[in-house]
Amino acid sequence: MTRTLAALLGTAIAASTLTAAQAQELNLYSSRHYDTDERLYSDFTELTGITINRIEGNADELIARMEAEGENSPADVFLTVDTVRLARAASLGLLQSVESAVLEARIPAYLQDDDNQWFAFSQRARILFYDKTDVENPPLTYQDLASPEYAGQICIRSSTNVYTQNITAALIAHLGADAVADWAEAVVGNFARAPQGGDTDQLRGIASGECDIAMSNTYYYARAFRRGDDQMTPEQLENIGWVFPNQNDIGAHMNISGGGVATHAPNRDNAIAFLEYLASDQAQEYFSAGNDEYPAVPGVALSPSVAHLGIFRPDTIDLSDIAENVDAAVEVLNGAGWE
Ligand code: FE
């Protein structure tokens, strides 16, 4: 950590000596939808003296804005959720390659874009939850969701959601598009209801009895466990069990939050310093403590709510392989009639 922060401060000082007129600023385009991120930003400013100007919006809006602004875009860093969106920003030419010894050393290779245009800073497992009072034999793999045994039991998000697209793309990378097309069709046949709502709504579906099995990112459950949920009683929460799927083969699917430096970043050095800060132990611990996510950097401590979920084997497929299959995933989902 000392070494990382020293490197970080070194970068910041180098930036400040470039020209006295250059403002110590950073324009951050962020679609991370967590108000707890506030601390990440204030800690960075305290550490480096670099002020963060935050432009928040949903990822598609921010991407459209950067495209429209073109060369004149003030964006330095684009921070968002999910490989699907980072890959889209990169393919539109909105991100630049970054050479950083800190990022190379801290972030595992499979959590970086092949061209270093984006990096993952936190991870979440997309796993299966079930009603412990109703389901004796919960599905143990993603493939199991296609079993006739679970007819009318599954609640899951829509095909327009990036989490759904991301896991489908990962399954295509592992199993091939034909196998996943058959899988998607069978899963649609097992739906308890038409896809609706966010991840927490899938968990609430189990609590209300509408769903027996649901798919959700771990941090939604960990957050409800940590601070309660106004639509689920403690007893209902207690009756929700979970399975980290595919522990004997590919591992549990992980999706990520990450970011990169904008192509026309006016404050490029500050942008790189910010990404390096996000990879520091301090920021990595905060992703776990503040938003119940898994750190991207190996060996960083987990918060109690995240540790509560238990040890598991994650899928460590290269995120670039997922990004390559996103278009195929959307096609497969549409073909299966997945709303
Ligand atoms: Fe989310």
Side-chain angles (χ1 to χ4, degrees), residues 33-34 124 163 217 219-220:
H33 53 95
Y34 320 114
R124 333 58 185 294
Y163 299 145
N217 283 350
Y219 69 93
Y220 293 99

Side-chain angles (χ1 to χ4, degrees), residues 182-247:
D182 293 342
W183 171 84
E185 208 170 296
V187 173
V188 169
N190 286 344
F191 281 177
R193 63 182 183 193
Q196 56 183 262
D199 279 20
T200 302
D201 296 309
Q202 314 310 314
L203 299 172
R204 288 172 179 160
I206 294 177
S208 72
E210 200 177 349
C211 323
D212 289 315
I213 294 159
M215 186 183 282
S216 168
N217 283 350
T218 40
Y219 69 93
Y220 293 99
Y221 178 84
R223 183 167 65 193
F225 173 80
R226 173 168 56 84
R227 66 176 195 201
D229 182 276
D230 57 7
Q231 292 181 47
M232 292 185 274
T233 66
E235 196 198 346
Q236 285 172 333
L237 257 179
E238 178 58 41
N239 285 334
I240 297 177
W242 61 89
V243 169
F244 284 99
N246 296 78
Q247 293 302 283

Side-chain angles (χ1 to χ4, degrees), residues 29-45:
Y29 282 37
S30 172
S31 76
R32 269 179 63 92
H33 53 95
Y34 320 114
D35 43 8
T36 47
D37 281 359
E38 197 71 34
R39 256 232 0 238
L40 277 178
Y41 309 138
S42 60
D43 283 354
F44 173 74
T45 299

Side-chain angles (χ1 to χ4, degrees), residues 126-130 138-142 241-247 252:
R126 191 149 189 81
I127 68 170
L128 304 176
F129 293 85
Y130 65 99
L140 299 179
T141 66
Y142 297 111
W242 61 89
V243 169
F244 284 99
N246 296 78
Q247 293 302 283

Side-chain angles (χ1 to χ4, degrees), residues 95-99 113-119 261 263 268 272:
L95 301 176
Q96 61 173 283
S97 294
V98 164
E99 296 308 326
D113 169 47
D114 284 348
D115 296 326
N116 291 334
Q117 293 190 50
W118 46 266
F119 303 82
V261 176
T263 301
R268 186 173 186 275
I272 295 171

